[in-house]
Amino acid sequence: MISQRKRLGDILVDAGLLSEEQLMQTLKEKTKSQKLGDALIERGYITEQQLIEVLEFQLGIPHISLFRYPIEEPIVSIVPGDVAKRYQLIPLKKEGDKLLVAMADPMDFTAIDDLRLSTGFQIERAIATKDDILKAHNKFYNMDESMSELMDLLPQGSVLSDESRIMEEDSPIVKLVNQIILQAVLQKASDIHFDPQETKLAVRYRLDGMLKTDRNLPKHMQNMLTARIKIMANLNITESRLPQDGRIKMNAEMHPVDLRVSTLPTIYGEKIVLRILDLGSSLNNLDNLGFNKLNYQRFTQLIEQPNGIVLITGPTGSGKSSTLYAALNRLNDEESNIVTVEDPVEYQLEGVNQIQVNSNVGLTFANGLRAILRQDPDVVMVGEIRDTETAEIAVRASLTGHLVLSTIHTNDSIGTIARLTDMGVEPFLVAASLSGIVAQRLVRRVCRDCQKQYKATEREKEIFSKRGMKIEIVTRGKGCGTCNMTGYKGRLAIHEILVVDEHIRQLIMNNRPMLEVREYALKSGTIFLIDDGLLKVKKGLTTTEEILRVATSE
């Protein structure tokens, strides 16, 4: 038994997957409650698959894929749900006085001793991925129970009649909504869509930028589900003809989660979208945003200037807010007065004065921005430039010695200049105030557990050669249990940074065509979105298909 109690860090160092420095650094930085394995995976030093393979080899503990394992419900009931969740395990089968248990951390000896005492069985260990165990928990401990309760409770065609059903914490509809949200958080979804259709209500999750149907609920559950979400978000339950916006704050598995709620009347009922803002993962650091060296240097220089406007552009869901917050984190020190005006305030940052837009009482971006300028700010962050008034005040703020950070919706960095002049801002003001523009997109990352190298196709070689690059080998994911057979797991950003120098200022003031600005940017070494993407394909981080999905190849 003593040989089995060897520490995880030592095992990984012995296996050559980790250096002594990386281990010491992680042990020093991780929180008390965080497990070492989780901390190492979070920092990208090892993958979950590598961890499992090492434990399997070194300790002789089998690895089981629960995806295919026939688990029986009577066996699951041996271990109470709260214990299984606390220790991240699930019982699989019993033989005589032995109980086989799949664990995310088979070296959690406290859990093993606790189980042995509470169940009276000798505990045999197997390893399973965290995702597999969470999915099994949802299947056996939560979802079926609340679904079957609901089916019994709701006769076909019944509508919202009893308010207690959607208010009491232990009512089936409340459990079901909590479960759908929890499942989304565990799967790291960015949005939950409740789509009303003619005969059903589809529940879809946006995972790594792609929508995936999780389940279809019977049509007669739609009204109750809508009412429950509206109550959670403090919206008007009786109003179903107008769009509404709200917010939900809750804890999912001891983890604070903030949800932005939007309802929209459609012909089959109200469509609801919940945007998940995972407060636990908002520790944004510029180093973790995937900037290449040159872009990183350019971006830090832009945000460390004492004045000027830095704009971040891209469509909804392209990670603009994360980049903005990372920039604010970098600038946040006690010598600076940072004030933001946002709609809504997504993440709360300590030491930053954040204002929430409230158009009902007349607090718009423009009014908020005017008030901020009387507060002696050093750095001003405007959530979004939506109209001429906001754009003009932001421009004037930057000309009077403030650094202004904001976002705007355009396709690329150069298109932003045309957008500002179209909004009615004078070209000489745009030229004088604009310091730089960052265009950004998110692409899916190749799954590290099933990645394989392949020869580049002729089409890929052609795309690369058009951009002055060569490619021989590309990396793709085959598809495995970790990435739901997609070949992708997680996302990374690609960037295009246009630094506005004297020559570009002259072109803007003289109203020159944007084509001239593009030609000059190309000559002066600007890395366009497509180029940054293809460089990341060369590094084996993503695929050519992903880059062409979000960036155009001129």
Side-chain angles (χ1 to χ4, degrees), residues 69 177 219 244 253 285 301 324 353 377 400-401 462-463 506:
Y69 200 89
V177 171
K219 185 72 177 170
Q244 295 185 67
E253 297 282 285
N285 187 328
Q301 278 170 357
L324 265 186
N353 308 290
T400 51
E462 191 185 313
I463 291 164
Q506 287 299 325

Side-chain angles (χ1 to χ4, degrees), residues 195-366:
D195 285 344
Q197 292 166 12
E198 194 172 2
T199 56
K200 62 187 180 202
L201 176 71
V203 179
R204 302 196 289 169
Y205 294 153
R206 190 175 288 283
L207 298 165
D208 292 339
M210 297 292 181
L211 273 175
K212 166 178 155 280
T213 301
D214 183 65
R215 73 196 67 197
N216 290 313
L217 299 174
K219 185 72 177 170
H220 63 271
M221 285 167 62
Q222 183 178 314
N223 288 344
M224 271 192 127
L225 205 106
T226 304
R228 172 61 193 160
I229 292 170
K230 281 184 168 182
I231 283 176
M232 290 170 81
N234 287 327
L235 299 179
N236 181 353
I237 299 190
T238 56
E239 180 55 80
S240 59
R241 297 161 304 169
L242 289 172
Q244 295 185 67
D245 289 311
R247 235 185 145 128
I248 299 172
K249 278 195 167 188
M250 62 184 289
N251 273 335
E253 297 282 285
M254 314 289 287
H255 202 58
V257 175
D258 214 340
L259 301 157
R260 257 164 55 189
V261 183
S262 165
T263 73
L264 187 71
T266 72
I267 54 170
Y268 295 125
E270 284 176 281
K271 173 178 166 66
I272 298 180
V273 177
L274 309 183
R275 160 67 59 90
I276 301 170
L277 305 168
D278 187 347
L279 302 180
S281 69
S282 67
L283 303 167
N284 286 324
N285 187 328
L286 275 186
D287 304 339
N288 303 339
L289 293 183
F291 281 108
N292 68 41
K293 272 187 188 163
L294 193 59
N295 278 345
Y296 180 79
Q297 195 183 331
R298 285 174 179 168
F299 187 61
T300 47
Q301 278 170 357
L302 284 175
I303 62 170
E304 281 165 6
Q305 289 179 5
N307 54 21
I309 295 188
V310 179
L311 290 176
I312 299 174
T313 176
T316 309
S318 58
K320 297 189 297 294
S321 299
S322 300
T323 306
L324 265 186
Y325 281 111
L328 288 181
N329 252 346
R330 167 63 70 93
L331 300 169
N332 190 4
D333 55 38
E334 62 179 67
E335 284 97 51
S336 305
N337 175 21
I338 302 177
V339 191
T340 75
V341 53
E342 304 170 60
D343 180 22
V345 172
E346 293 191 6
Y347 299 119
Q348 280 133 25
L349 295 175
E350 202 173 325
V352 175
N353 308 290
Q354 294 171 281
I355 300 168
Q356 168 104 21
V357 164
N358 184 350
S359 46
N360 296 337
V361 295
L363 178 55
T364 60
F365 275 123

Side-chain angles (χ1 to χ4, degrees), residues 91-156:
L92 299 178
K93 66 173 183 182
K94 59 174 186 173
E95 277 178 9
D97 66 340
K98 287 181 183 168
L99 180 67
L100 176 66
V101 176
M103 304 177 74
D105 179 6
M107 300 181 73
D108 187 344
F109 297 109
T110 316
I112 295 164
D113 295 342
D114 199 348
L115 270 187
R116 194 175 67 242
L117 290 170
S118 62
T119 61
F121 286 99
Q122 287 299 319
I123 305 299
E124 297 276 317
R125 296 171 292 168
I127 313 173
T129 65
K130 224 176 183 179
D131 280 357
D132 272 6
I133 288 173
L134 289 172
K135 282 172 192 163
H137 283 175
N138 283 321
K139 184 177 173 189
F140 291 104
Y141 287 121
N142 307 331
M143 194 52 84
D144 290 356
E145 181 188 315
S146 51
M147 278 296 284
S148 55
E149 274 182 61
L150 256 176
M151 291 308 178
D152 298 342
L153 226 167
L154 285 174
Q156 189 69 28

Side-chain angles (χ1 to χ4, degrees), residues 514-551:
M514 286 302 113
L515 189 62
E516 281 187 36
V517 178
R518 175 172 287 281
E519 282 166 2
Y520 173 73
L522 194 59
K523 275 184 208 151
S524 59
T526 299
I527 300 170
F528 290 106
L529 276 172
I530 181 99
D531 301 324
D532 191 34
L534 295 180
L535 287 169
K536 282 172 178 155
V537 173
K538 280 191 86 156
K539 283 186 178 171
L541 298 174
T542 184
T543 61
T544 320
E545 293 86 351
E546 272 298 289
I547 302 303
L548 295 180
R549 183 173 66 81
V550 298

Side-chain angles (χ1 to χ4, degrees), residues 22-79:
Q22 287 173 328
L23 174 62
M24 295 327 253
Q25 182 75 9
T26 308
L27 286 169
K28 198 165 75 181
E29 289 174 1
K30 79 178 186 71
T31 57
K32 263 188 179 173
S33 59
Q34 193 179 28
K35 292 190 170 161
L36 177 62
D38 291 346
L40 291 168
I41 291 166
E42 194 180 280
R43 282 165 178 73
Y45 292 148
I46 56 170
T47 68
E48 192 171 14
Q49 202 60 36
Q50 285 173 327
L51 179 63
I52 286 171
E53 282 167 11
V54 166
L55 292 176
E56 193 175 13
F57 178 71
Q58 297 275 3
L59 304 178
I61 300 172
H63 167 221
I64 285 175
S65 170
L66 301 184
F67 193 55
R68 301 185 183 86
Y69 200 89
I71 306 174
E72 291 169 12
E73 287 199 35
I75 302 288
V76 175
S77 59
I78 293 172
V79 178

Side-chain angles (χ1 to χ4, degrees), residues 348-465:
Q348 280 133 25
L349 295 175
E350 202 173 325
V352 175
N353 308 290
Q354 294 171 281
I355 300 168
Q356 168 104 21
V357 164
N358 184 350
S359 46
N360 296 337
V361 295
L363 178 55
T364 60
F365 275 123
N367 291 344
L369 193 45
R370 273 197 198 92
I372 287 174
L373 297 178
R374 295 193 282 274
Q375 291 271 324
D376 177 34
D378 298 296
V379 180
V380 177
M381 191 268 262
V382 185
E384 191 184 329
I385 291 180
R386 291 180 186 166
D387 52 43
T388 309
E389 197 182 2
T390 311
E392 282 184 342
I393 302 167
V395 162
R396 292 184 193 283
S398 73
L399 292 174
T400 51
H402 304 96
L403 175 68
V404 180
L405 303 175
S406 189
T407 67
I408 192 165
H409 286 266
T410 58
N411 287 331
D412 59 4
S413 57
I414 292 163
T416 306
I417 299 168
R419 175 92 177 95
L420 286 171
T421 50
D422 284 350
M423 278 175 138
V425 182
E426 291 292 344
F428 72 90
L429 286 176
V430 175
S433 61
L434 206 52
S435 301
I437 305 158
V438 181
Q440 176 171 321
R441 298 287 187 281
L442 290 179
V443 291
R444 291 182 294 168
R445 189 189 280 272
V446 172
C447 173
R448 282 172 64 177
D449 291 339
C450 62
Q451 62 182 30
K452 288 272 182 292
Q453 292 194 328
Y454 299 92
K455 272 194 166 176
T457 63
E458 287 307 314
R459 175 81 182 111
E460 280 175 319
K461 286 180 183 172
E462 191 185 313
I463 291 164
F464 272 79
S465 69

